[in-house]
Amino acid sequence: MPVREGTYGLLAEFDTPSQLVRAAKGAYSAGYRRMDCYTPYAVEEAAEAIGFHRNTVSLVTLIGGLLGLVTMFSLETWISVWAFPINVAGRPYYSWPAFVVPAYEWTILWAGLSAAFGMLALCGLPQLYHPLFNAPNFRNGATSDKFFLCLESTDPRFDMVETREFLDGFTPVSVVEVEY
Amino acid sequence: MATKDTPVNDPMLDPITGEFAVIAPGHTFKSVTEEISNIVLTPRTPLGWFFGFAIAGGVVLMLLVALTWLFLRGVGIWAVTIPVAWGFAIINFVWWIGIGHAGTLISAILLLFKQGWRNSINRFAEAMTIFAVVCAGLFPLIHTGRPWLAYWLFPYPNTMNVWPQFRSPLLWDVFAVSTYATISVVFWYIGMIPDLGTLRDRAKSRFGQFFYGMLAVGWRGSVRHWVRYEMSSLLLAGLATPLVLSVHSVISFDFAVALLPGWHTTIFPPYFVAGAIYSGFAMVITLAIPIREFYHLEDLITLRHVDNMCKVMLATGLIVAYGYSTEVFMSYCYSASKWEYFMMWNRMFGPIGWAYWVLITCNIALPQLLWSRKLRRNVPFVFLMSLIVNTGMWFERFVIIVISLSRDYLPSSWGTYRATKWDYMTLAGTFGLFTFLFFLFIRFLPMIPMSELRLMLPQAKIRAEAEPLPEAGD
């Protein structure tokens, strides 16, 4: 990846989630699209406000779960019927009711791992470096008690002066420029 | 405050519902964050912590001694022999894994039912699950006799060209317990990521910043991430719920699939699951009460939590009581089998019959005191009751395993069981291991989920303000 330079975006800090949601709605209706909110807990309204409605975590989980089910059931069948057929108390080699239990467990195992690591992957995590951590006030509040809206410079509507004035209209605690 | 009556205008009481508040009033995002993260980030470790940690560490050393001798001499140092070949190892396994189940119940099932009060206790209940599974998993491993070959349990291509036998409940157990351990760890860790981010940002020491920074995987609280994160938590909860029910059901199959009187019964899966949750909640109370006293967390783990946990204990205790009475009914009134009849008579009045009455007293008789609201809010009493229930649940497994195995169909194969000092040392050693891990956890990781508590504060409600939105920038 080439070294990026310049401005990542403008970061507005708010004291309350209500102010943040109002600002995010305002920015969205003003036509900004490349933006994100940063909150110390899940603020669903803020995600709605910036137009983030759908996510694919559940699809990834479903696929993972089905793969786990098929993998385990096929493995059991292959082992018991072809690889190592032994007669246990006269039960058939293909004792499918007994195979249900481990297959059930692996459905949950693979679905759970997909839900967890799929979520991290979809979020692009782990990502230890991010330009926002350069903002002096970000680390003081984003994970404890402050609410942030960042309008990113890659947005076509972004303009250093106008966007800053726009954000000031929402009476934030501060608006700071975030460097790459 | 624990023993006296609650006054009518107590600030801890919700004026509308009359319920005890989940979090004491007056907390802010900042105060919640500070109160919890300071426990971890303070450079001054309380002296009491070192004291407890040292004792627990000493008991772990005893466990290591017992295990070393076991590995040198084999399982013959225990009391297990034919006919009682399962003994303490399996009793302790079932007991410990049952304790773990309440953690999953609190974190998963109560999340699905939107029980907000769970938020203060779910993190350490999940930690309790993991440490209990660690203790539980140890027992079948060392009980195999040659634990260094335990990987033979898993299906893997090998030069012996031998594969596991999937029709056995013991192999189902391998998959149930390993899945349970994995999912519990993942659920716990995923739930902790935002709080690890908080610790990373608040840590003063270089090492703390690095350590929590690596664990937090760069969490920055983006709402897009939060939406996925919440979905992932919900899915994990939805997956953990059938998992927790299946794990103890599978464990009960270890018994129920066998033909032994006292084991071969269809009531076992639901009755084992209820018993697991019962003992698990007792253990959560056993842990929560000293922690809230020691770290002064009465604002966050309130009497509402204690009260609710007692109610869950009472309810699951009654399900367990129903299970016991069904067993009696089946053997005395319904089975028309003299083996079943004898099994129940022997369980009650046989040579180890006292164990049955201990379990009835601890699990059914005494917990009925929890019907009293006043006693449910008496913290020392509830603590004592949790210890009683845990004892009773251990005896339940003792009764099922030892009494049933020692008297099977053929009197010539009857036997008896008397645990050796190595059995007791191993059991006591796992208490030490559990406590040891728990001490490490409360010192180095956030034991109460800060991000979820913030969401529960009144400030978190989004208020529509009358003030109009400012005009767009251009």
Side-chain angles (χ1 to χ4, degrees):
Chain A
M1 220 164 83
V3 180
R4 292 210 190 144
E5 283 184 11
T7 308
Y8 173 76
L10 282 171
L11 183 71
E13 176 183 335
F14 298 95
D15 271 333
T16 69
S18 309
Q19 287 174 310
L20 170 78
V21 171
R22 203 152 45 90
K25 276 187 186 149
Y28 193 81
S29 56
Y32 288 96
R33 290 296 176 269
R34 298 200 63 100
M35 57 178 171
D36 208 341
C37 301
Y38 300 89
T39 54
Y41 59 88
V43 182
E44 280 172 31
E45 293 87 346
E48 293 286 320
I50 61 168
F52 185 72
H53 305 292
R54 290 170 56 83
N55 67 78
T56 46
V57 175
S58 34
L59 180 68
V60 171
T61 309
L62 176 69
I63 295 172
L66 290 176
L67 276 177
L69 174 70
V70 171
T71 307
M72 194 54 175
F73 201 87
S74 332
L75 182 71
E76 289 174 295
T77 307
W78 176 74
I79 288 176
S80 310
V81 178
W82 287 286
F84 196 62
I86 46 170
N87 184 337
V88 178
R91 294 183 186 91
Y93 292 137
Y94 179 63
S95 310
W96 68 266
F99 301 167
V100 168
V101 179
Y104 175 91
E105 302 297 342
W106 265 36
T107 311
I108 292 178
L109 179 68
W110 286 41
L113 294 177
S114 312
F117 294 103
M119 180 274 289
L120 288 181
L122 288 168
C123 292
L125 300 173
Q127 183 189 5
L128 296 186
Y129 174 77
H130 192 275
L132 277 171
F133 293 124
N134 295 335
N137 54 346
F138 186 74
R139 293 187 45 189
N140 282 334
T143 52
S144 59
D145 59 343
K146 292 289 192 278
F147 300 82
F148 292 89
L149 170 67
C150 183
L151 298 181
E152 292 163 23
S153 64
T154 45
D155 192 283
R157 291 191 63 88
F158 187 88
D159 177 277
M160 194 57 89
V161 180
E162 282 181 10
T163 305
R164 184 184 279 272
E165 279 173 7
F166 173 73
L167 281 174
D168 278 332
F170 295 103
T171 59
V173 179
S174 68
V175 176
V176 295
E177 194 183 324
V178 182
E179 301 281 330
Y180 266 110
Chain B
M1 76 173 270
T3 45
K4 70 175 184 231
D5 279 336
T6 343
V8 181
N9 55 356
D10 190 318
M12 291 297 287
L13 285 178
D14 188 313
I16 299 158
T17 58
E19 288 267 32
F20 238 72
V22 175
I23 305 180
H27 271 293
T28 61
F29 295 132
K30 202 175 181 65
S31 71
V32 166
T33 308
E34 284 178 350
E35 184 159 348
I36 298 165
S37 60
N38 284 352
I39 295 175
V40 174
L41 294 174
T42 174
R44 270 180 232 288
T45 307
L47 212 60
W49 185 88
F50 281 112
F51 185 68
F53 187 66
I55 292 180
V59 182
V60 172
L61 287 180
M62 184 180 78
L63 176 68
L64 291 178
V65 170
L67 291 183
T68 309
W69 192 240
L70 175 77
F71 291 171
L72 289 173
R73 300 301 298 267
V75 288
I77 66 167
W78 293 343
V80 289
T81 179
I82 300 302
V84 186
W86 272 12
F88 265 36
I90 304 301
I91 298 170
N92 300 341
F93 164 66
V94 179
W95 185 72
W96 272 119
I97 206 135
I99 282 174
H101 281 17
T104 320
L105 184 98
I106 289 173
S107 56
I109 301 180
L110 297 184
L111 175 72
L112 295 182
F113 285 132
K114 296 194 184 298
Q115 296 291 309
W117 61 273
R118 79 181 246 296
N119 287 355
S120 304
I121 53 171
N122 75 338
R123 173 75 44 72
F124 73 75
E126 284 166 31
M128 179 194 81
T129 296
I130 293 167
F131 304 148
V133 172
V134 167
C135 294
L138 187 69
F139 282 105
L141 280 187
I142 58 180
H143 192 240
T144 55
R146 288 185 289 170
W148 48 94
L149 298 177
Y151 61 91
W152 284 6
L153 291 164
F154 289 98
Y156 73 103
N158 55 65
T159 51
M160 300 171 286
N161 214 9
V162 170
W163 291 89
Q165 204 275 95
F166 281 97
R167 300 172 199 90
S168 163
L170 297 179
L171 190 64
W172 304 346
D173 236 16
V174 172
F175 289 96
V177 175
S178 60
T179 299
Y180 186 49
T182 314
I183 294 293
S184 301
V185 171
V186 166
F187 197 8
W188 183 60
Y189 174 64
I190 293 289
M192 215 155 30
I193 288 178
D195 283 356
L196 291 167
T198 305
L199 293 178
R200 169 200 63 204
D201 292 348
R202 292 178 58 85
K204 296 280 184 290
S205 73
R206 196 82 194 102
F207 174 75
Q209 288 170 349
F210 179 79
F211 176 70
Y212 294 117
M214 293 307 272
L215 287 178
V217 294
W219 182 262
R220 54 185 186 273
S222 153
V223 286
R224 290 167 210 267
H225 294 183
W226 272 118
V227 168
R228 294 192 190 101
Y229 174 87
E230 294 278 293
M231 176 55 85
S232 165
S233 304
L234 200 63
L235 286 168
L236 279 169
L239 291 164
T241 304
L243 176 64
V244 74
L245 299 180
S246 81
V247 171
H248 234 64
S249 298
V250 168
I251 288 173
S252 79
F253 291 157
D254 293 346
F255 302 93
V257 171
L259 294 175
L260 193 72
W263 285 13
H264 190 61
T265 150
T266 49
I267 189 81
F268 263 24
Y271 148 58
F272 266 54
V273 171
I277 293 164
Y278 187 37
S279 63
F281 265 88
M283 190 56 113
V284 176
I285 292 175
T286 312
L287 294 171
I289 287 176
I291 289 178
R292 85 193 263 282
E293 294 292 327
F294 187 71
Y295 283 105
H296 307 293
L297 293 171
E298 285 91 347
D299 281 3
L300 303 177
I301 304 173
T302 61
L303 283 184
R304 168 90 176 272
H305 295 101
V306 177
D307 189 41
N308 280 2
M309 286 192 283
C310 287
K311 285 180 189 163
V312 176
M313 252 168 61
L314 191 57
T316 47
L318 290 174
I319 303 176
V320 171
Y322 172 74
Y324 297 153
S325 46
T326 304
E327 284 191 314
V328 174
F329 171 77
M330 290 301 283
S331 46
Y332 279 148
C333 314
Y334 194 78
S335 70
S337 153
K338 60 184 174 191
W339 315 112
E340 286 286 328
Y341 187 92
F342 172 74
M343 177 279 294
M344 192 48 78
W345 180 87
N346 178 56
R347 190 179 271 190
M348 288 175 172
F349 309 109
I352 338 179
W354 58 269
Y356 184 77
W357 300 109
V358 169
L359 101 88
I360 295 290
T361 313
C362 294
N363 282 353
I364 300 182
L366 291 175
Q368 301 311 317
L369 291 170
L370 293 175
W371 286 100
S372 151
R373 188 187 178 88
K374 204 171 165 181
L375 287 175
R376 283 203 305 269
R377 290 180 175 177
N378 180 339
V379 175
F381 170 80
V382 170
F383 182 70
L384 180 69
M385 190 51 75
S386 73
L387 295 178
I388 290 176
V389 168
N390 269 322
T391 315
M393 287 308 295
W394 189 87
F395 271 99
E396 179 198 302
R397 280 67 183 244
F398 179 85
V399 164
I400 291 173
I401 292 175
V402 171
I403 299 188
S404 305
L405 278 174
S406 61
R407 293 282 184 276
D408 67 358
Y409 296 99
L410 205 59
S412 65
S413 65
W414 287 0
T416 187
Y417 181 83
R418 184 171 286 271
T420 65
K421 65 170 187 256
W422 300 106
D423 283 308
Y424 287 112
M425 274 171 75
T426 318
L427 170 61
T430 50
F431 297 145
L433 177 62
F434 181 79
T435 327
F436 183 79
L437 294 170
F438 218 87
F439 270 106
L440 285 177
F441 162 68
I442 56 176
R443 182 65 189 87
F444 294 108
L445 292 170
M447 67 173 136
I448 294 182
M450 295 178 261
S451 60
E452 290 178 36
L453 283 194
R454 289 181 201 122
L455 186 58
M456 287 166 60
L457 294 174
Q459 295 93 312
K461 195 171 165 348
I462 303 290
R463 287 179 178 76
E465 284 170 49
E467 184 189 337
L469 293 172
E471 290 299 312
D474 44 3

